Amino acid sequence: MSARMRRATVSAPPAPGGAGILHLGLGSFHRAHQAVYTAAAMRADGGDWGIIGVASRSRRVVDALHAQDHLYAVATISPDDASLVVPGVHTDSYVAATDPARVVDDLADPRIRIATLTVTENGYSYSPSTQRLDVTDPVVAADLRGADPRSTIGQLARGLQRRAALGGEPISILSCDNLVSNGSHTEKLVRDFLGELPDAEGADVLAYLDRAVTFPSSMVDRIVPATTPELVDRVAALLGVRDDVPVPAEPFTMWAIEDRFAGGRPAWEAGGAVFTDEVGAYEQLKVRLLNGTHSLIAYLGALRGAATIPDAIALPDIEAAAAAILRQEYEPSVTAPAGVDIAQYESDLFSRWGNSALGHRTSQVGSDGSVKLGQRIPGPVLQAFERGAFPHLIALTVAAYLACIAPPAGFDPGPHAAAMADPARERLSAVTTRGGRDLAARAIVDLQLFGEELAHRSGFVDRVGDLLDTIVSRGVDHAIADSLSASGALAPTTP
Ligand code: CS2
């Protein structure tokens, strides 16, 4: 982070009107995105839309927020500017793991009219192979048996069940995670949960859902790296008080939301949110062009020793691979929403990834690939085959992912890959393979990490395996050059 912090804007003290929103997933992204839009909405239009923030397990942010009257700073950072805002919209916070019953109580409280979610792709207990709620997950199974719920879907379902019993006030559940059709996805999983309950328990709630609960979809976008000790010091110097949990974020921010709110909503448009019927198109654009390419940059970058996304995209062959995947493999798979200029969107992406002041780590973007890639790649792969094209760069993304998360014996993917967390790491590492094709088959065919349809594309599976072998035996730069030349894209000239 190089730019000097210049301005601080502190908004009014926390939500004087009280809380109308319960937010599950009190991480950095929520605090730099939805909270900022909500502060703008309340400044413009008032309303009792304060937010009760629920962290899933960690006490760190909750303890700090309690000690700081729920005030914290968002630092907007670019190479030539940096500024602070203090949203001041949280009225309370707690940890779901230590207070699971309270989540149910809050969801049933008629003052709460929206529940928002940023629980990551991994937080939905979705099984790509059965395409429904993963009822074999022990946490979900315990929630179904009636324990205080600990899975997000269990919390929502049990909260809605209680709310139905207490009078059935309208509420909306708004997913803000990078999932295609995140609203209907969440609704389906909640209905799966309720459908597993004995008839007498489930039926009334399902009728309540039909009558008074909506699940709007939304597309969220803002690059939010993890907080560093350096940021904490810089924010303290500017504010003159210590904030233990400031959040760094890029200047760009976007939120496209379907306007279907059962119990009202804040005037989020005051913060620049777009209310639109085209959320699906926004989501596809973002999840494929931004997130899909982001994954490619993160895995290739980590294998090349790059700690951050800007370091990775500064390498000419990774930049060429990013341009090729964007233009040849992701762009043909999307339809731009009205008013969005794809060429401009793509050129903005390169500046956003290149924001060297942010320090967004390859290990952060590369984490949880087994769940993230399932949102980002299967649609574009299948669409490429329909067009008669072969998605070489998407195959390279998966090969690089496997090289990072399940490195074959004797291959060291380096420290940035080792720092990537992934729920499938153990399942993938446990396989003894005779080579890349075996490992690719294990991930794509046996575990169906990326859904059922890709499992039948043996040409794709084999190509992933072969690229993985190339990474291991000849190096990632050879695999990049091979994919670029196979896709007909020009490889950069090496000095
Ligand atoms: C990233 C996203 O970690 C990742 O997988 O692609 O978190 C990305 O930074 C955000 O979606 C940007 O809105």
Side-chain angles (χ1 to χ4, degrees):
M1 203 192 309
S2 52
R4 205 163 56 82
M5 205 78 83
R6 292 198 301 111
R7 299 181 304 276
T9 313
V10 181
S11 48
I21 299 175
L22 182 74
H23 180 76
L24 305 185
L26 189 56
S28 297
F29 182 79
H30 158 74
R31 291 187 294 123
H33 189 266
Q34 182 196 334
V36 175
Y37 285 86
T38 307
M42 293 210 296
R43 266 198 308 275
D45 194 44
D48 41 0
W49 292 114
I51 302 174
I52 299 175
V54 185
S56 87
R57 273 178 301 274
S58 163
R59 292 218 62 83
R60 195 182 67 83
V61 172
V62 167
D63 288 346
L65 287 181
H66 276 274
Q68 303 176 185
D69 295 331
H70 284 91
L71 296 172
Y72 65 89
V74 178
T76 301
I77 298 168
S78 68
D80 40 32
D81 195 19
S83 62
L84 293 184
V85 292
V86 177
V89 288
H90 293 90
T91 59
D92 201 358
S93 61
Y94 58 94
V95 177
T98 48
D99 220 347
R102 183 163 169 203
V103 184
V104 175
D105 290 346
D106 281 344
L107 279 164
D109 183 336
R111 286 171 296 189
I112 296 295
R113 281 150 297 139
I114 301 178
T116 49
L117 313 175
T118 50
V119 293
T120 79
E121 294 88 334
N122 195 24
Y124 286 77
S125 314
Y126 173 72
S127 158
S129 53
T130 61
Q131 297 186 13
R132 66 189 306 273
L133 183 69
D134 184 1
V135 290
T136 65
D137 176 331
V139 181
V140 174
D143 291 356
L144 281 166
R145 285 195 301 272
D148 279 339
R150 288 173 192 274
S151 67
T152 299
I153 297 300
Q155 286 161 345
L156 291 174
R158 292 298 186 188
L160 291 169
Q161 200 179 4
R162 170 84 56 83
R163 195 170 177 101
L166 293 180
E169 290 296 317
I171 189 170
S172 292
I173 313 295
L174 180 65
S175 166
C176 301
D177 282 299
N178 288 324
L179 304 162
V180 176
S181 306
N182 53 11
S184 46
H185 187 73
T186 310
E187 174 167 10
K188 181 183 173 325
L189 294 170
V190 168
R191 285 180 182 269
D192 284 349
F193 186 102
L194 294 170
E196 293 286 321
L197 301 178
D199 275 357
E201 255 192 89
D204 286 354
V205 204
L206 288 170
Y208 163 61
L209 253 58
D210 292 340
R211 180 174 57 76
V213 185
T214 62
F215 293 80
S217 278
S218 81
M219 183 283 298
V220 294
D221 194 3
R222 190 168 198 190
I223 293 177
V224 181
T227 301
T228 59
E230 187 209 355
L231 180 74
V232 172
D233 291 345
R234 292 186 61 196
V235 168
L238 188 77
L239 285 178
V241 289
R242 189 175 166 85
D243 173 359
D244 278 323
V245 284
V247 191
E250 64 170 338
F252 182 96
T253 177
M254 195 171 185
W255 197 7
I257 314 169
E258 222 181 337
D259 204 356
R260 295 196 294 124
F261 288 82
R265 62 161 174 85
W268 281 317
E269 58 272 42
V274 178
F275 285 91
T276 170
D277 293 335
E278 287 192 280
V279 171
Y282 276 98
E283 270 171 356
Q284 256 188 14
L285 185 77
K286 196 258 170 170
V287 168
R288 294 180 182 181
L289 272 60
L290 189 164
N291 297 118
T293 311
H294 224 181
S295 295
L296 172 89
I297 302 167
Y299 298 122
L300 295 180
L303 293 172
R304 290 284 296 275
T308 67
I309 297 291
D311 288 349
I313 197 77
L315 299 169
D317 58 347
I318 296 187
E319 188 190 15
I325 204 172
L326 258 181
R327 303 203 172 110
Q328 293 176 217
E329 299 179 14
Y330 286 132
E331 192 188 309
S333 79
V334 302
T335 308
V340 173
D341 172 350
I342 293 225
Q344 185 60 49
Y345 185 85
E346 289 179 355
S347 117
D348 289 348
L349 285 179
F350 281 94
S351 333
R352 295 173 64 194
W353 293 323
N355 184 343
S356 54
L358 260 188
H360 199 196
R361 300 190 73 77
T362 46
S363 56
Q364 183 176 351
V365 178
S367 286
D368 290 345
S370 57
V371 265
K372 289 175 175 174
L373 291 178
Q375 294 295 322
R376 302 175 185 189
I377 64 160
V381 170
L382 297 169
Q383 281 170 264
F385 286 133
E386 273 164 31
R387 292 193 306 277
F390 194 97
H392 292 281
L393 278 311
I394 298 182
L396 177 64
T397 308
V398 180
Y401 158 71
L402 290 172
C404 286
I405 301 299
F411 175 72
D412 178 5
H416 309 302
M420 291 173 186
D422 195 301
R425 208 178 243 285
E426 263 177 44
R427 273 177 294 159
L428 286 171
S429 309
V431 241
T432 351
T433 65
R434 286 184 306 277
R437 287 192 178 198
D438 269 7
L439 183 56
R442 172 77 181 143
I444 306 172
V445 182
D446 300 347
L447 297 176
Q448 296 196 356
L449 285 184
F450 314 123
E452 199 250 333
E453 279 177 292
L454 269 201
H456 303 298
R457 300 294 174 155
S458 55
F460 181 76
V461 179
D462 288 349
R463 178 72 170 137
V464 169
D466 293 346
L467 283 168
L468 179 56
D469 284 337
T470 304
I471 294 174
V472 170
S473 62
R474 304 186 62 204
V476 65
D477 40 346
H478 281 274
I480 299 174
D482 173 336
S483 310
L484 283 172
S485 89
S487 72
L490 286 181
T493 41
T494 32

